[in-house]
Amino acid sequence: MNRRRRIYEGKAKILYEGPEPGTLVAHFKDDATAFNNKKHEIVDGKGVLNNRISEYIFENLNAIGIQTHFIKRLNMREQLIKECEIIPLEIIVRNVAAGSIAKRLGLEEGTQLPRSVIEFCYKNDALDDPMVSEEHITAFGWASPQEIDDIMALAIRINDFLCGMFRAVGIRLVDFKIECGRHFEGDTMRVILADEISPDSCRLWDIDSNDKLDKDRFRQEMGGMLEAYQEVASRLGIHNINTEHKGTGPVLVK
Ligand code: TMP
Ligand code: ASP
């Protein structure tokens, strides 16, 4: 039985009403999807890992003054977050050519881009999240010119922080996707980072071997997705993740 009111269910998370007004509880599911749900599997323990990795990243961003929706982790799969009005955009930051930009512009995967590039997609599953320009965003009223400026400034700061954080543990941040929301506090509105940052929403390559440590392992049917996510967590120093292993029998404790 679930006592809480369910506000929204997405592909990887469920949002419940929070304990206080203006808060929500985000529950990380084990569902792995790609190509807008055309490929869908349950990967036991993924939600637990993404909850912990996203907590680690958002806490560090909060600590350096980048405002996020994250308040605190509640348990293995849930975190308390600030309620905000999601801006219907997926903001992609790219440092290295991979995925759709490699295909679209005929770039070889792994090519360093001349500078970090920001792209916007309209968040709409039925349309497969089409790429849009600032013209579309302002003409259709998805965000104002000022909000676009705020989002880009936020995205660049996050990219700088994440590049350094991952580099320090031998990981190249190829690209990532973020979502932003409007957070209202009294009369003021601020654009803050929402959703999650995890190996589901980033491309992370081992610096030496170029091994993929992200959701491309699932998209490209490479196998070893959970192990890759575990590797990211352990390199970041996130320990004691109990991914609810399924009775492998007694383990000798030395
Ligand atoms: P792309 O190369 O497929 O456009 O993806 C760019 C980045 O955005 C990559 O890190 C994966 C992430 N991403 C999402 O988080 N959600 C999505 O729906 C898509 C298409 C990409
Ligand atoms: N997030 C999208 C999906 O779940 C696409 C992707 O990540 O590749 O289908």
Side-chain angles (χ1 to χ4, degrees), residues 183-220:
H183 182 247
F184 297 90
E185 235 174 50
D187 285 343
T188 58
M189 187 280 287
R190 199 192 288 272
V191 173
I192 65 171
L193 176 67
D195 193 47
E196 69 181 86
I197 299 181
S198 70
D200 265 11
S201 55
C202 301
R203 282 201 176 89
L204 305 170
W205 295 357
D206 180 82
I207 281 180
D208 297 321
S209 65
N210 280 335
D211 270 358
K212 295 181 199 291
L213 301 172
D214 57 59
K215 195 164 128 183
D216 270 350
R217 300 202 75 89
F218 174 75
R219 294 189 190 97
Q220 300 171 6

PDB file of all heavy atoms in Angstrom, residues 183-220:
ATOM      1  N   HIS A 183      11.768  27.686  -9.843  1.00  0.00           N
ATOM      2  CA  HIS A 183      11.469  27.522  -8.419  1.00  0.00           C
ATOM      3  C   HIS A 183      10.992  28.857  -7.880  1.00  0.00           C
ATOM      4  O   HIS A 183      11.656  29.882  -8.055  1.00  0.00           O
ATOM      5  CB  HIS A 183      12.720  27.036  -7.683  1.00  0.00           C
ATOM      6  CG  HIS A 183      12.469  26.807  -6.227  1.00  0.00           C
ATOM      7  ND1 HIS A 183      13.038  27.575  -5.238  1.00  0.00           N
ATOM      8  CD2 HIS A 183      11.677  25.909  -5.603  1.00  0.00           C
ATOM      9  CE1 HIS A 183      12.613  27.150  -4.070  1.00  0.00           C
ATOM     10  NE2 HIS A 183      11.788  26.144  -4.256  1.00  0.00           N
ATOM     11  N   PHE A 184       9.827  28.847  -7.247  1.00  0.00           N
ATOM     12  CA  PHE A 184       9.226  30.092  -6.755  1.00  0.00           C
ATOM     13  C   PHE A 184       9.422  30.173  -5.247  1.00  0.00           C
ATOM     14  O   PHE A 184       9.151  29.219  -4.516  1.00  0.00           O
ATOM     15  CB  PHE A 184       7.727  30.120  -7.087  1.00  0.00           C
ATOM     16  CG  PHE A 184       7.461  30.104  -8.562  1.00  0.00           C
ATOM     17  CD1 PHE A 184       7.315  28.899  -9.253  1.00  0.00           C
ATOM     18  CD2 PHE A 184       7.390  31.287  -9.284  1.00  0.00           C
ATOM     19  CE1 PHE A 184       7.089  28.875 -10.620  1.00  0.00           C
ATOM     20  CE2 PHE A 184       7.152  31.272 -10.661  1.00  0.00           C
ATOM     21  CZ  PHE A 184       7.002  30.064 -11.325  1.00  0.00           C
ATOM     22  N   GLU A 185       9.955  31.326  -4.814  1.00  0.00           N
ATOM     23  CA  GLU A 185      10.132  31.541  -3.370  1.00  0.00           C
ATOM     24  C   GLU A 185       9.602  32.929  -3.102  1.00  0.00           C
ATOM     25  O   GLU A 185      10.246  33.926  -3.466  1.00  0.00           O
ATOM     26  CB  GLU A 185      11.609  31.459  -3.019  1.00  0.00           C
ATOM     27  CG  GLU A 185      11.902  30.441  -1.920  1.00  0.00           C
ATOM     28  CD  GLU A 185      13.401  30.297  -1.722  1.00  0.00           C
ATOM     29  OE1 GLU A 185      14.079  31.336  -1.577  1.00  0.00           O
ATOM     30  OE2 GLU A 185      13.883  29.158  -1.742  1.00  0.00           O
ATOM     31  N   GLY A 186       8.408  32.998  -2.522  1.00  0.00           N
ATOM     32  CA  GLY A 186       7.752  34.296  -2.379  1.00  0.00           C
ATOM     33  C   GLY A 186       7.499  34.871  -3.762  1.00  0.00           C
ATOM     34  O   GLY A 186       6.924  34.197  -4.618  1.00  0.00           O
ATOM     35  N   ASP A 187       7.993  36.082  -3.962  1.00  0.00           N
ATOM     36  CA  ASP A 187       7.752  36.750  -5.245  1.00  0.00           C
ATOM     37  C   ASP A 187       8.846  36.470  -6.255  1.00  0.00           C
ATOM     38  O   ASP A 187       8.755  36.885  -7.402  1.00  0.00           O
ATOM     39  CB  ASP A 187       7.701  38.285  -5.038  1.00  0.00           C
ATOM     40  CG  ASP A 187       6.381  38.682  -4.397  1.00  0.00           C
ATOM     41  OD1 ASP A 187       5.456  37.842  -4.430  1.00  0.00           O
ATOM     42  OD2 ASP A 187       6.299  39.804  -3.860  1.00  0.00           O
ATOM     43  N   THR A 188       9.902  35.784  -5.810  1.00  0.00           N
ATOM     44  CA  THR A 188      11.014  35.606  -6.738  1.00  0.00           C
ATOM     45  C   THR A 188      10.976  34.226  -7.388  1.00  0.00           C
ATOM     46  O   THR A 188      10.563  33.240  -6.782  1.00  0.00           O
ATOM     47  CB  THR A 188      12.380  35.787  -6.046  1.00  0.00           C
ATOM     48  OG1 THR A 188      12.436  34.839  -4.988  1.00  0.00           O
ATOM     49  CG2 THR A 188      12.585  37.180  -5.522  1.00  0.00           C
ATOM     50  N   MET A 189      11.407  34.221  -8.624  1.00  0.00           N
ATOM     51  CA  MET A 189      11.489  32.974  -9.378  1.00  0.00           C
ATOM     52  C   MET A 189      12.930  32.802  -9.818  1.00  0.00           C
ATOM     53  O   MET A 189      13.577  33.757 -10.222  1.00  0.00           O
ATOM     54  CB  MET A 189      10.573  33.062 -10.600  1.00  0.00           C
ATOM     55  CG  MET A 189      10.451  31.765 -11.367  1.00  0.00           C
ATOM     56  SD  MET A 189      11.816  31.437 -12.465  1.00  0.00           S
ATOM     57  CE  MET A 189      11.478  32.608 -13.755  1.00  0.00           C
ATOM     58  N   ARG A 190      13.421  31.581  -9.681  1.00  0.00           N
ATOM     59  CA  ARG A 190      14.794  31.307 -10.055  1.00  0.00           C
ATOM     60  C   ARG A 190      14.826  30.016 -10.878  1.00  0.00           C
ATOM     61  O   ARG A 190      14.077  29.073 -10.576  1.00  0.00           O
ATOM     62  CB  ARG A 190      15.584  31.097  -8.765  1.00  0.00           C
ATOM     63  CG  ARG A 190      17.061  31.226  -8.870  1.00  0.00           C
ATOM     64  CD  ARG A 190      17.683  30.713  -7.601  1.00  0.00           C
ATOM     65  NE  ARG A 190      17.486  31.585  -6.442  1.00  0.00           N
ATOM     66  CZ  ARG A 190      18.310  32.572  -6.126  1.00  0.00           C
ATOM     67  NH1 ARG A 190      19.349  32.837  -6.857  1.00  0.00           N
ATOM     68  NH2 ARG A 190      18.091  33.299  -5.049  1.00  0.00           N
ATOM     69  N   VAL A 191      15.679  29.993 -11.888  1.00  0.00           N
ATOM     70  CA  VAL A 191      15.849  28.755 -12.654  1.00  0.00           C
ATOM     71  C   VAL A 191      16.846  27.874 -11.907  1.00  0.00           C
ATOM     72  O   VAL A 191      17.962  28.316 -11.608  1.00  0.00           O
ATOM     73  CB  VAL A 191      16.360  29.050 -14.086  1.00  0.00           C
ATOM     74  CG1 VAL A 191      16.699  27.759 -14.814  1.00  0.00           C
ATOM     75  CG2 VAL A 191      15.311  29.839 -14.870  1.00  0.00           C
ATOM     76  N   ILE A 192      16.431  26.650 -11.580  1.00  0.00           N
ATOM     77  CA  ILE A 192      17.331  25.743 -10.855  1.00  0.00           C
ATOM     78  C   ILE A 192      17.487  24.425 -11.630  1.00  0.00           C
ATOM     79  O   ILE A 192      16.673  24.108 -12.499  1.00  0.00           O
ATOM     80  CB  ILE A 192      16.841  25.451  -9.408  1.00  0.00           C
ATOM     81  CG1 ILE A 192      15.504  24.688  -9.411  1.00  0.00           C
ATOM     82  CG2 ILE A 192      16.709  26.746  -8.614  1.00  0.00           C
ATOM     83  CD1 ILE A 192      15.089  24.183  -8.021  1.00  0.00           C
ATOM     84  N   LEU A 193      18.521  23.678 -11.264  1.00  0.00           N
ATOM     85  CA  LEU A 193      18.747  22.368 -11.879  1.00  0.00           C
ATOM     86  C   LEU A 193      17.760  21.366 -11.274  1.00  0.00           C
ATOM     87  O   LEU A 193      17.625  21.287 -10.048  1.00  0.00           O
ATOM     88  CB  LEU A 193      20.189  21.918 -11.607  1.00  0.00           C
ATOM     89  CG  LEU A 193      20.542  20.519 -12.106  1.00  0.00           C
ATOM     90  CD1 LEU A 193      20.521  20.458 -13.629  1.00  0.00           C
ATOM     91  CD2 LEU A 193      21.903  20.084 -11.568  1.00  0.00           C
ATOM     92  N   ALA A 194      17.103  20.590 -12.130  1.00  0.00           N
ATOM     93  CA  ALA A 194      16.137  19.599 -11.639  1.00  0.00           C
ATOM     94  C   ALA A 194      16.520  18.209 -12.147  1.00  0.00           C
ATOM     95  O   ALA A 194      17.659  17.984 -12.562  1.00  0.00           O
ATOM     96  CB  ALA A 194      14.744  19.999 -12.102  1.00  0.00           C
ATOM     97  N   ASP A 195      15.587  17.283 -12.093  1.00  0.00           N
ATOM     98  CA  ASP A 195      15.766  15.920 -12.623  1.00  0.00           C
ATOM     99  C   ASP A 195      16.951  15.215 -11.963  1.00  0.00           C
ATOM    100  O   ASP A 195      17.035  15.186 -10.732  1.00  0.00           O
ATOM    101  CB  ASP A 195      15.891  15.988 -14.151  1.00  0.00           C
ATOM    102  CG  ASP A 195      15.771  14.644 -14.829  1.00  0.00           C
ATOM    103  OD1 ASP A 195      14.831  13.911 -14.483  1.00  0.00           O
ATOM    104  OD2 ASP A 195      16.607  14.313 -15.677  1.00  0.00           O
ATOM    105  N   GLU A 196      17.859  14.653 -12.741  1.00  0.00           N
ATOM    106  CA  GLU A 196      18.985  13.896 -12.181  1.00  0.00           C
ATOM    107  C   GLU A 196      20.204  14.059 -13.083  1.00  0.00           C
ATOM    108  O   GLU A 196      20.071  14.441 -14.257  1.00  0.00           O
ATOM    109  CB  GLU A 196      18.637  12.401 -12.101  1.00  0.00           C
ATOM    110  CG  GLU A 196      18.524  11.733 -13.462  1.00  0.00           C
ATOM    111  CD  GLU A 196      18.153  10.241 -13.372  1.00  0.00           C
ATOM    112  OE1 GLU A 196      16.951   9.923 -13.297  1.00  0.00           O
ATOM    113  OE2 GLU A 196      19.083   9.402 -13.388  1.00  0.00           O
ATOM    114  N   ILE A 197      21.371  13.804 -12.529  1.00  0.00           N
ATOM    115  CA  ILE A 197      22.580  13.632 -13.353  1.00  0.00           C
ATOM    116  C   ILE A 197      23.166  12.295 -12.922  1.00  0.00           C
ATOM    117  O   ILE A 197      23.518  12.102 -11.757  1.00  0.00           O
ATOM    118  CB  ILE A 197      23.598  14.778 -13.155  1.00  0.00           C
ATOM    119  CG1 ILE A 197      22.974  16.123 -13.570  1.00  0.00           C
ATOM    120  CG2 ILE A 197      24.868  14.502 -13.974  1.00  0.00           C
ATOM    121  CD1 ILE A 197      23.904  17.331 -13.433  1.00  0.00           C
ATOM    122  N   SER A 198      23.217  11.369 -13.864  1.00  0.00           N
ATOM    123  CA  SER A 198      23.653  10.002 -13.555  1.00  0.00           C
ATOM    124  C   SER A 198      24.185   9.385 -14.845  1.00  0.00           C
ATOM    125  O   SER A 198      24.085  10.007 -15.906  1.00  0.00           O
ATOM    126  CB  SER A 198      22.436   9.207 -13.056  1.00  0.00           C
ATOM    127  OG  SER A 198      21.555   8.985 -14.147  1.00  0.00           O
ATOM    128  N   PRO A 199      24.694   8.161 -14.780  1.00  0.00           N
ATOM    129  CA  PRO A 199      25.156   7.544 -16.034  1.00  0.00           C
ATOM    130  C   PRO A 199      24.019   7.306 -17.039  1.00  0.00           C
ATOM    131  O   PRO A 199      24.283   7.000 -18.197  1.00  0.00           O
ATOM    132  CB  PRO A 199      25.769   6.218 -15.560  1.00  0.00           C
ATOM    133  CG  PRO A 199      26.150   6.459 -14.143  1.00  0.00           C
ATOM    134  CD  PRO A 199      25.083   7.361 -13.590  1.00  0.00           C
ATOM    135  N   ASP A 200      22.764   7.483 -16.605  1.00  0.00           N
ATOM    136  CA  ASP A 200      21.641   7.435 -17.556  1.00  0.00           C
ATOM    137  C   ASP A 200      21.639   8.658 -18.468  1.00  0.00           C
ATOM    138  O   ASP A 200      21.148   8.597 -19.588  1.00  0.00           O
ATOM    139  CB  ASP A 200      20.299   7.462 -16.795  1.00  0.00           C
ATOM    140  CG  ASP A 200      19.739   6.071 -16.542  1.00  0.00           C
ATOM    141  OD1 ASP A 200      20.471   5.093 -16.759  1.00  0.00           O
ATOM    142  OD2 ASP A 200      18.572   5.979 -16.115  1.00  0.00           O
ATOM    143  N   SER A 201      22.144   9.769 -17.947  1.00  0.00           N
ATOM    144  CA  SER A 201      21.977  11.033 -18.667  1.00  0.00           C
ATOM    145  C   SER A 201      23.316  11.650 -19.095  1.00  0.00           C
ATOM    146  O   SER A 201      23.362  12.799 -19.530  1.00  0.00           O
ATOM    147  CB  SER A 201      21.206  12.033 -17.800  1.00  0.00           C
ATOM    148  OG  SER A 201      21.852  12.204 -16.556  1.00  0.00           O
ATOM    149  N   CYS A 202      24.395  10.873 -18.945  1.00  0.00           N
ATOM    150  CA  CYS A 202      25.726  11.362 -19.350  1.00  0.00           C
ATOM    151  C   CYS A 202      26.379  10.322 -20.265  1.00  0.00           C
ATOM    152  O   CYS A 202      26.039   9.142 -20.203  1.00  0.00           O
ATOM    153  CB  CYS A 202      26.667  11.471 -18.149  1.00  0.00           C
ATOM    154  SG  CYS A 202      26.134  12.546 -16.825  1.00  0.00           S
ATOM    155  N   ARG A 203      27.354  10.763 -21.046  1.00  0.00           N
ATOM    156  CA  ARG A 203      28.282   9.801 -21.660  1.00  0.00           C
ATOM    157  C   ARG A 203      29.598   9.920 -20.907  1.00  0.00           C
ATOM    158  O   ARG A 203      30.179  11.014 -20.840  1.00  0.00           O
ATOM    159  CB  ARG A 203      28.492  10.083 -23.153  1.00  0.00           C
ATOM    160  CG  ARG A 203      27.358   9.594 -24.008  1.00  0.00           C
ATOM    161  CD  ARG A 203      27.722   9.398 -25.477  1.00  0.00           C
ATOM    162  NE  ARG A 203      26.561   8.835 -26.167  1.00  0.00           N
ATOM    163  CZ  ARG A 203      25.603   9.580 -26.735  1.00  0.00           C
ATOM    164  NH1 ARG A 203      25.701  10.903 -26.742  1.00  0.00           N
ATOM    165  NH2 ARG A 203      24.575   9.009 -27.307  1.00  0.00           N
ATOM    166  N   LEU A 204      30.031   8.814 -20.349  1.00  0.00           N
ATOM    167  CA  LEU A 204      31.231   8.788 -19.511  1.00  0.00           C
ATOM    168  C   LEU A 204      32.167   7.719 -20.054  1.00  0.00           C
ATOM    169  O   LEU A 204      31.795   6.547 -20.110  1.00  0.00           O
ATOM    170  CB  LEU A 204      30.833   8.443 -18.060  1.00  0.00           C
ATOM    171  CG  LEU A 204      29.771   9.353 -17.411  1.00  0.00           C
ATOM    172  CD1 LEU A 204      29.285   8.765 -16.083  1.00  0.00           C
ATOM    173  CD2 LEU A 204      30.333  10.747 -17.191  1.00  0.00           C
ATOM    174  N   TRP A 205      33.358   8.133 -20.473  1.00  0.00           N
ATOM    175  CA  TRP A 205      34.321   7.172 -21.031  1.00  0.00           C
ATOM    176  C   TRP A 205      35.548   7.124 -20.132  1.00  0.00           C
ATOM    177  O   TRP A 205      36.050   8.169 -19.691  1.00  0.00           O
ATOM    178  CB  TRP A 205      34.775   7.602 -22.434  1.00  0.00           C
ATOM    179  CG  TRP A 205      33.702   7.600 -23.478  1.00  0.00           C
ATOM    180  CD1 TRP A 205      32.397   7.207 -23.345  1.00  0.00           C
ATOM    181  CD2 TRP A 205      33.845   8.029 -24.845  1.00  0.00           C
ATOM    182  NE1 TRP A 205      31.722   7.360 -24.529  1.00  0.00           N
ATOM    183  CE2 TRP A 205      32.585   7.868 -25.470  1.00  0.00           C
ATOM    184  CE3 TRP A 205      34.917   8.535 -25.589  1.00  0.00           C
ATOM    185  CZ2 TRP A 205      32.370   8.194 -26.807  1.00  0.00           C
ATOM    186  CZ3 TRP A 205      34.703   8.859 -26.926  1.00  0.00           C
ATOM    187  CH2 TRP A 205      33.431   8.681 -27.530  1.00  0.00           C
ATOM    188  N   ASP A 206      36.053   5.916 -19.922  1.00  0.00           N
ATOM    189  CA  ASP A 206      37.315   5.780 -19.208  1.00  0.00           C
ATOM    190  C   ASP A 206      38.397   6.524 -19.994  1.00  0.00           C
ATOM    191  O   ASP A 206      38.506   6.356 -21.216  1.00  0.00           O
ATOM    192  CB  ASP A 206      37.681   4.299 -19.056  1.00  0.00           C
ATOM    193  CG  ASP A 206      38.990   4.138 -18.320  1.00  0.00           C
ATOM    194  OD1 ASP A 206      38.979   4.190 -17.082  1.00  0.00           O
ATOM    195  OD2 ASP A 206      40.045   4.001 -19.006  1.00  0.00           O
ATOM    196  N   ILE A 207      39.182   7.354 -19.306  1.00  0.00           N
ATOM    197  CA  ILE A 207      40.157   8.212 -20.002  1.00  0.00           C
ATOM    198  C   ILE A 207      41.201   7.392 -20.764  1.00  0.00           C
ATOM    199  O   ILE A 207      41.577   7.742 -21.876  1.00  0.00           O
ATOM    200  CB  ILE A 207      40.850   9.174 -18.996  1.00  0.00           C
ATOM    201  CG1 ILE A 207      39.922  10.350 -18.696  1.00  0.00           C
ATOM    202  CG2 ILE A 207      42.181   9.698 -19.565  1.00  0.00           C
ATOM    203  CD1 ILE A 207      40.480  11.363 -17.726  1.00  0.00           C
ATOM    204  N   ASP A 208      41.632   6.277 -20.181  1.00  0.00           N
ATOM    205  CA  ASP A 208      42.697   5.499 -20.825  1.00  0.00           C
ATOM    206  C   ASP A 208      42.166   4.553 -21.900  1.00  0.00           C
ATOM    207  O   ASP A 208      42.704   4.489 -22.997  1.00  0.00           O
ATOM    208  CB  ASP A 208      43.460   4.682 -19.773  1.00  0.00           C
ATOM    209  CG  ASP A 208      44.152   5.612 -18.789  1.00  0.00           C
ATOM    210  OD1 ASP A 208      44.664   6.661 -19.237  1.00  0.00           O
ATOM    211  OD2 ASP A 208      44.157   5.311 -17.582  1.00  0.00           O
ATOM    212  N   SER A 209      41.109   3.830 -21.582  1.00  0.00           N
ATOM    213  CA  SER A 209      40.665   2.769 -22.506  1.00  0.00           C
ATOM    214  C   SER A 209      39.504   3.194 -23.396  1.00  0.00           C
ATOM    215  O   SER A 209      39.156   2.470 -24.331  1.00  0.00           O
ATOM    216  CB  SER A 209      40.218   1.551 -21.684  1.00  0.00           C
ATOM    217  OG  SER A 209      39.064   1.911 -20.924  1.00  0.00           O
ATOM    218  N   ASN A 210      38.874   4.337 -23.099  1.00  0.00           N
ATOM    219  CA  ASN A 210      37.645   4.770 -23.786  1.00  0.00           C
ATOM    220  C   ASN A 210      36.467   3.840 -23.532  1.00  0.00           C
ATOM    221  O   ASN A 210      35.445   3.933 -24.228  1.00  0.00           O
ATOM    222  CB  ASN A 210      37.848   4.925 -25.298  1.00  0.00           C
ATOM    223  CG  ASN A 210      38.531   6.242 -25.639  1.00  0.00           C
ATOM    224  OD1 ASN A 210      38.444   7.201 -24.864  1.00  0.00           O
ATOM    225  ND2 ASN A 210      39.205   6.286 -26.770  1.00  0.00           N
ATOM    226  N   ASP A 211      36.572   2.940 -22.568  1.00  0.00           N
ATOM    227  CA  ASP A 211      35.433   2.073 -22.209  1.00  0.00           C
ATOM    228  C   ASP A 211      34.242   2.938 -21.829  1.00  0.00           C
ATOM    229  O   ASP A 211      34.395   3.938 -21.126  1.00  0.00           O
ATOM    230  CB  ASP A 211      35.800   1.212 -20.985  1.00  0.00           C
ATOM    231  CG  ASP A 211      36.424  -0.095 -21.397  1.00  0.00           C
ATOM    232  OD1 ASP A 211      36.541  -0.344 -22.607  1.00  0.00           O
ATOM    233  OD2 ASP A 211      36.807  -0.860 -20.482  1.00  0.00           O
ATOM    234  N   LYS A 212      33.074   2.530 -22.273  1.00  0.00           N
ATOM    235  CA  LYS A 212      31.864   3.287 -21.956  1.00  0.00           C
ATOM    236  C   LYS A 212      31.351   2.884 -20.579  1.00  0.00           C
ATOM    237  O   LYS A 212      31.188   1.695 -20.294  1.00  0.00           O
ATOM    238  CB  LYS A 212      30.793   3.022 -23.008  1.00  0.00           C
ATOM    239  CG  LYS A 212      31.162   3.533 -24.407  1.00  0.00           C
ATOM    240  CD  LYS A 212      30.035   3.262 -25.385  1.00  0.00           C
ATOM    241  CE  LYS A 212      30.481   3.312 -26.831  1.00  0.00           C
ATOM    242  NZ  LYS A 212      30.849   4.622 -27.344  1.00  0.00           N
ATOM    243  N   LEU A 213      31.102   3.892 -19.744  1.00  0.00           N
ATOM    244  CA  LEU A 213      30.641   3.643 -18.376  1.00  0.00           C
ATOM    245  C   LEU A 213      29.254   4.274 -18.185  1.00  0.00           C
ATOM    246  O   LEU A 213      28.996   4.914 -17.176  1.00  0.00           O
ATOM    247  CB  LEU A 213      31.641   4.245 -17.375  1.00  0.00           C
ATOM    248  CG  LEU A 213      33.076   3.716 -17.457  1.00  0.00           C
ATOM    249  CD1 LEU A 213      34.020   4.522 -16.566  1.00  0.00           C
ATOM    250  CD2 LEU A 213      33.124   2.240 -17.068  1.00  0.00           C
ATOM    251  N   ASP A 214      28.389   4.133 -19.161  1.00  0.00           N
ATOM    252  CA  ASP A 214      27.111   4.849 -19.144  1.00  0.00           C
ATOM    253  C   ASP A 214      26.026   4.069 -19.875  1.00  0.00           C
ATOM    254  O   ASP A 214      26.244   2.934 -20.289  1.00  0.00           O
ATOM    255  CB  ASP A 214      27.301   6.228 -19.802  1.00  0.00           C
ATOM    256  CG  ASP A 214      27.834   6.069 -21.222  1.00  0.00           C
ATOM    257  OD1 ASP A 214      27.160   5.416 -22.032  1.00  0.00           O
ATOM    258  OD2 ASP A 214      28.953   6.568 -21.516  1.00  0.00           O
ATOM    259  N   LYS A 215      24.896   4.725 -20.087  1.00  0.00           N
ATOM    260  CA  LYS A 215      23.724   4.050 -20.656  1.00  0.00           C
ATOM    261  C   LYS A 215      23.911   3.592 -22.100  1.00  0.00           C
ATOM    262  O   LYS A 215      23.122   2.791 -22.594  1.00  0.00           O
ATOM    263  CB  LYS A 215      22.502   4.972 -20.544  1.00  0.00           C
ATOM    264  CG  LYS A 215      21.176   4.272 -20.770  1.00  0.00           C
ATOM    265  CD  LYS A 215      20.022   5.128 -20.280  1.00  0.00           C
ATOM    266  CE  LYS A 215      18.975   5.300 -21.330  1.00  0.00           C
ATOM    267  NZ  LYS A 215      17.879   6.185 -20.886  1.00  0.00           N
ATOM    268  N   ASP A 216      24.950   4.066 -22.780  1.00  0.00           N
ATOM    269  CA  ASP A 216      25.222   3.534 -24.121  1.00  0.00           C
ATOM    270  C   ASP A 216      25.435   2.017 -24.066  1.00  0.00           C
ATOM    271  O   ASP A 216      25.183   1.326 -25.054  1.00  0.00           O
ATOM    272  CB  ASP A 216      26.444   4.222 -24.761  1.00  0.00           C
ATOM    273  CG  ASP A 216      26.043   5.466 -25.558  1.00  0.00           C
ATOM    274  OD1 ASP A 216      24.819   5.682 -25.761  1.00  0.00           O
ATOM    275  OD2 ASP A 216      26.933   6.222 -25.974  1.00  0.00           O
ATOM    276  N   ARG A 217      25.886   1.485 -22.951  1.00  0.00           N
ATOM    277  CA  ARG A 217      26.058   0.028 -22.823  1.00  0.00           C
ATOM    278  C   ARG A 217      24.720  -0.674 -23.021  1.00  0.00           C
ATOM    279  O   ARG A 217      24.654  -1.772 -23.563  1.00  0.00           O
ATOM    280  CB  ARG A 217      26.653  -0.352 -21.459  1.00  0.00           C
ATOM    281  CG  ARG A 217      28.010   0.231 -21.174  1.00  0.00           C
ATOM    282  CD  ARG A 217      28.755  -0.580 -20.123  1.00  0.00           C
ATOM    283  NE  ARG A 217      29.252  -1.808 -20.693  1.00  0.00           N
ATOM    284  CZ  ARG A 217      30.444  -1.939 -21.274  1.00  0.00           C
ATOM    285  NH1 ARG A 217      31.277  -0.938 -21.301  1.00  0.00           N
ATOM    286  NH2 ARG A 217      30.798  -3.083 -21.786  1.00  0.00           N
ATOM    287  N   PHE A 218      23.650  -0.014 -22.555  1.00  0.00           N
ATOM    288  CA  PHE A 218      22.300  -0.555 -22.719  1.00  0.00           C
ATOM    289  C   PHE A 218      21.774  -0.254 -24.122  1.00  0.00           C
ATOM    290  O   PHE A 218      21.288  -1.139 -24.825  1.00  0.00           O
ATOM    291  CB  PHE A 218      21.399   0.066 -21.652  1.00  0.00           C
ATOM    292  CG  PHE A 218      19.948  -0.271 -21.777  1.00  0.00           C
ATOM    293  CD1 PHE A 218      19.474  -1.526 -21.425  1.00  0.00           C
ATOM    294  CD2 PHE A 218      19.044   0.677 -22.246  1.00  0.00           C
ATOM    295  CE1 PHE A 218      18.121  -1.828 -21.549  1.00  0.00           C
ATOM    296  CE2 PHE A 218      17.699   0.386 -22.364  1.00  0.00           C
ATOM    297  CZ  PHE A 218      17.238  -0.870 -22.016  1.00  0.00           C
ATOM    298  N   ARG A 219      21.932   1.022 -24.550  1.00  0.00           N
ATOM    299  CA  ARG A 219      21.421   1.403 -25.880  1.00  0.00           C
ATOM    300  C   ARG A 219      22.039   0.516 -26.964  1.00  0.00           C
ATOM    301  O   ARG A 219      21.379   0.114 -27.888  1.00  0.00           O
ATOM    302  CB  ARG A 219      21.771   2.865 -26.200  1.00  0.00           C
ATOM    303  CG  ARG A 219      21.082   3.890 -25.321  1.00  0.00           C
ATOM    304  CD  ARG A 219      21.303   5.311 -25.843  1.00  0.00           C
ATOM    305  NE  ARG A 219      20.851   6.310 -24.909  1.00  0.00           N
ATOM    306  CZ  ARG A 219      21.639   6.952 -24.048  1.00  0.00           C
ATOM    307  NH1 ARG A 219      22.934   6.695 -24.018  1.00  0.00           N
ATOM    308  NH2 ARG A 219      21.131   7.832 -23.215  1.00  0.00           N
ATOM    309  N   GLN A 220      23.336   0.246 -26.827  1.00  0.00           N
ATOM    310  CA  GLN A 220      24.048  -0.506 -27.874  1.00  0.00           C
ATOM    311  C   GLN A 220      24.189  -1.985 -27.556  1.00  0.00           C
ATOM    312  O   GLN A 220      25.010  -2.673 -28.164  1.00  0.00           O
ATOM    313  CB  GLN A 220      25.432   0.131 -28.089  1.00  0.00           C
ATOM    314  CG  GLN A 220      25.330   1.585 -28.520  1.00  0.00           C
ATOM    315  CD  GLN A 220      26.685   2.307 -28.527  1.00  0.00           C
ATOM    316  OE1 GLN A 220      27.726   1.693 -28.310  1.00  0.00           O
ATOM    317  NE2 GLN A 220      26.662   3.614 -28.753  1.00  0.00           N
TER     318      GLN A 220
END
